[in-house]
Amino acid sequence: MTFALFFVFMTLFRCEINKEGAVWKLQGIQVAACITFPQNAVTQSMLFTCTLLEDPMQHPPLKKDEALVSDTIKLSYDDQHRSNFTGNFGEKVSVAFSHSATNLKGYEIVIRELVDSHNNDWRDLETTNTWQTSGN
């Protein structure tokens, strides 16, 4: 019998968000993404953690004709003030990913949210693709 031991390094980054909102650029964990919390997205100060998921077993399952074209992140929170936050924001929170899908050829960009970690159940989020070329 052969056994292999793998170490999965998770990179994480923390940011405190309050009712004033914030723009959170995730360069601290080497992720090409930005999360925008508008004013009143949360009612009181909360500590959010963004984790870069480097283990492919933690990525969403891909359907036929799908490919992973960006980093996969996990956004979680620490409710140190016991606000009973349910994960539903008071305002729309935006997540912007830089991705490598340069020619979509009829395909669409899909961002998914893990809704049930026990059953690995994901749902598609509302997605808008805004194409911007890098300034050369």
Side-chain angles (χ1 to χ4, degrees), residues 6 27 33 39 46 65 75 83 114 119 136:
F6 294 94
Q27 294 109 334
Q39 194 172 27
M46 299 188 72
D65 295 328
L75 184 63
S83 69
L114 180 62
N119 295 314
N136 289 355

Side-chain angles (χ1 to χ4, degrees), residues 7 15 42 57 71 74 79 94 99 104 107:
F7 292 98
C15 183
V42 296
M57 296 302 293
D71 293 314
K74 174 183 177 183
D79 192 1
S94 299
H99 59 80
L104 296 176
Y107 289 94

Side-chain angles (χ1 to χ4, degrees), residues 38-52:
Q39 194 172 27
N40 299 316
V42 296
T43 57
Q44 60 187 21
S45 183
M46 299 188 72
L47 182 64
F48 283 86
T49 302
C50 186
T51 308
L52 174 61

Side-chain angles (χ1 to χ4, degrees), residues 5 9 11 13 19 34 49 54 73 75 82 96 99 104 136:
L5 178 62
F9 295 98
T11 309
F13 191 48
K19 65 182 182 178
C34 177
T49 302
E54 299 179 70
I73 61 171
L75 184 63
R82 307 222 187 282
H99 59 80
L104 296 176
N136 289 355

